[in-house]
Amino acid sequence: MHQRHKLVSAMLWITVGLASGRLFASAETKEEQYTICPERLVANDKLRTLFGRSPLDCIQMCTLAEHCSGVSICHSGHDEQVTCSLSEDVQTAGCDDLNSVPSPSCHFVKKDSRLAEVMTEAEETTLATQEATTTEIACQNGGTPNGEKCDCPVHYGGRTCNRLIRDCSEPFQNGHTNSDYDGIYAIQPATAPSPIEVKCQFRAGGETWPLRRRGSTNFCQDWATCKAPYNMQDLPSPDPKYFIGLENLHHLLSQAEYKLRVYMLMMNGTRYVSKTMHYTNFSVDAESSSFAVTHDGFDCTNCDADDAFSGSLPVVFVSGGHDVNGCSAQRGDKSGWFGSNCKGSDLFSNGLFYWPVNGTDTDVRLIEFAVTRVSTSFYDD
């Protein structure tokens, strides 16, 4: 018989305990009790799949996410990274009769439907006394107290402004919505080992610009140089040409759901023509998948550009030294994302680069990627 445990709120930090096969989590003012089930991966409808640095990150995401009733926690094969598949409508009382499949690398952690045992009157009195005497929150990096969290300067985030912003959408959600704040910022996504410099524009939800390329300037030339940040010293120039690198792009897009805006200038005879495309839930997987791209939708209203990420799955990144589907060699040692039918875009090739328009590779003179976070925020850590 599992023991029952009392829970108290833990402000904004997640508090986790494990006893007798049960796990207890408290985040913000939400209190939840979880049951750890045997090794299995639950196949119920998923709210979303995210990435974290430890199983505790997965529990925090489920505790904060509306409608989450459990989370499958799977080790991805990478140090300090797990996959968190949040599920809804898991109705069973325990671990029996779950719609699941055996998986030695996964555990399903189910949110119990009942709250923990009610605190005694004496405990409630003690807690109320403690809350009444709580001192004002201590803010860092120039933040100012605002209730149970801090209002942070544009460069910082978290409950106490204790860390760098995760992306350019975070300061926008914190109230920095004026274009006067546009510029270069150091961000550090949740799983990134070190900060990344990017261009931020504080409009339309706060845009993070991971890529900008113009003309025939040489870009990353092989697998190793495409994984790493490229030409970041050019970021402060009036016409920068840079890429944060495949590894950092994966870290950025794996922490939440993002939409991607692609802006291009293309040649049409002797004229430049601009095209703007939008992708919903755009994601780049880890290196083990060859940084495979997935998305939920493509829109190019009033333009004739094709979806360059619509090749036969998987759409993976290939280049010199890493040509898993043979498309780099087939297309003349090009670098970019291609499906198994070698349809795609060689955005990272040296010299001229192309994007498909009406089924034909078309010369691109300028391309910009801008991503905006659209899913429920998990910023307050």
Side-chain angles (χ1 to χ4, degrees), residues 291-367:
F291 299 107
V293 162
T294 58
H295 65 83
D296 288 344
F298 167 79
D299 177 62
C300 188
T301 305
N302 298 324
C303 86
D304 51 1
D306 300 331
D307 177 5
F309 302 108
S310 64
S312 299
L313 297 177
V315 178
V316 297
F317 192 92
V318 297
S319 65
H322 189 88
D323 194 7
V324 294
N325 57 14
C327 294
S328 177
Q330 180 177 323
R331 294 177 67 99
D333 295 323
K334 300 296 186 180
S335 298
W337 280 284
F338 298 98
S340 58
N341 57 358
C342 293
K343 290 184 177 180
S345 176
D346 57 349
L347 295 179
F348 296 86
S349 300
N350 289 329
L352 296 176
F353 58 104
Y354 303 90
W355 189 280
V357 175
N358 289 328
T360 301
D361 285 346
T362 304
D363 177 14
V364 178
R365 298 305 174 93
L366 170 68
I367 189 164

Side-chain angles (χ1 to χ4, degrees), residues 218-222 225-228 230 243 317 335 348-350:
N218 287 346
F219 232 55
C220 58
Q221 301 177 20
D222 54 33
T225 56
C226 289
K227 282 173 54 179
Y230 179 81
F243 176 48
F317 192 92
S335 298
F348 296 86
S349 300
N350 289 329

Side-chain angles (χ1 to χ4, degrees), residues 68-144:
C68 179
S69 57
V71 55
S72 292
I73 304 172
C74 301
H75 293 281
S76 63
H78 295 274
D79 292 336
E80 299 183 352
Q81 181 170 301
V82 292
T83 301
C84 314
S85 298
L86 277 60
S87 299
E88 61 182 342
D89 297 329
V90 180
Q91 302 294 340
T92 59
C95 294
D96 296 331
D97 301 320
L98 287 170
N99 180 18
S100 63
V101 295
S103 178
S105 63
C106 300
H107 278 84
F108 184 70
V109 180
K110 179 186 174 296
K111 184 186 293 184
D112 286 359
S113 59
R114 60 186 182 277
L115 289 176
E117 183 178 331
V118 178
M119 292 185 293
T120 66
E121 182 176 350
E123 289 171 327
E124 292 176 338
T125 302
T126 301
L127 180 60
T129 302
Q130 292 173 344
E131 291 176 341
T133 58
T134 299
T135 58
E136 187 176 74
I137 188 170
C139 300
Q140 303 177 45
N141 297 305
T144 56

Side-chain angles (χ1 to χ4, degrees), residues 23-225:
L23 189 146
F24 306 86
S26 175
E28 291 184 304
T29 58
K30 297 182 65 176
E31 301 168 339
E32 303 291 355
Q33 177 173 306
Y34 292 85
T35 298
I36 303 175
C37 298
E39 295 177 342
R40 60 181 69 199
L41 178 64
V42 168
N44 292 73
D45 290 341
K46 296 178 181 177
L47 290 170
R48 63 181 68 92
T49 297
L50 303 170
F51 295 88
R53 282 182 283 189
S54 72
L56 302 188
D57 287 346
C58 300
I59 298 299
Q60 182 186 26
M61 293 173 186
C62 188
T63 301
L64 293 177
E66 189 176 3
H67 305 306
C68 179
S69 57
V71 55
S72 292
I73 304 172
C74 301
H75 293 281
S76 63
H78 295 274
D79 292 336
E80 299 183 352
Q81 181 170 301
V82 292
T83 301
C84 314
S85 298
L86 277 60
S87 299
E88 61 182 342
D89 297 329
V90 180
Q91 302 294 340
T92 59
C95 294
D96 296 331
D97 301 320
L98 287 170
N99 180 18
S100 63
V101 295
S103 178
S105 63
C106 300
H107 278 84
F108 184 70
V109 180
K110 179 186 174 296
K111 184 186 293 184
D112 286 359
S113 59
R114 60 186 182 277
L115 289 176
E117 183 178 331
V118 178
M119 292 185 293
T120 66
E121 182 176 350
E123 289 171 327
E124 292 176 338
T125 302
T126 301
L127 180 60
T129 302
Q130 292 173 344
E131 291 176 341
T133 58
T134 299
T135 58
E136 187 176 74
I137 188 170
C139 300
Q140 303 177 45
N141 297 305
T144 56
N146 184 1
E148 292 186 350
K149 67 181 296 293
C150 299
D151 290 334
C152 300
V154 67
H155 292 272
Y156 295 97
R159 176 173 169 267
T160 61
C161 312
N162 54 297
R163 57 161 175 79
L164 293 172
I165 52 177
R166 300 291 193 206
D167 54 29
C168 302
S169 297
E170 182 172 13
F172 185 92
Q173 291 191 5
N174 288 340
H176 301 290
T177 59
N178 194 310
S179 61
D180 291 343
Y181 289 109
D182 292 355
I184 300 167
Y185 290 83
I187 67 171
Q188 188 164 8
T191 60
S194 58
I196 313 161
E197 282 198 329
V198 295
K199 176 182 176 181
C200 290
Q201 282 200 340
F202 296 102
R203 63 180 185 186
E207 291 185 334
T208 307
W209 290 41
L211 166 70
R212 191 177 190 273
R213 183 179 182 185
R214 178 187 288 277
S216 59
T217 303
N218 287 346
F219 232 55
C220 58
Q221 301 177 20
D222 54 33
W223 182 249
T225 56

Side-chain angles (χ1 to χ4, degrees), residues 235-252:
L235 190 57
S237 73
D239 186 23
K241 296 165 280 290
Y242 69 93
F243 176 48
I244 66 172
L246 293 167
E247 287 277 11
N248 285 330
L249 186 61
H250 162 65
H251 287 305
L252 172 63

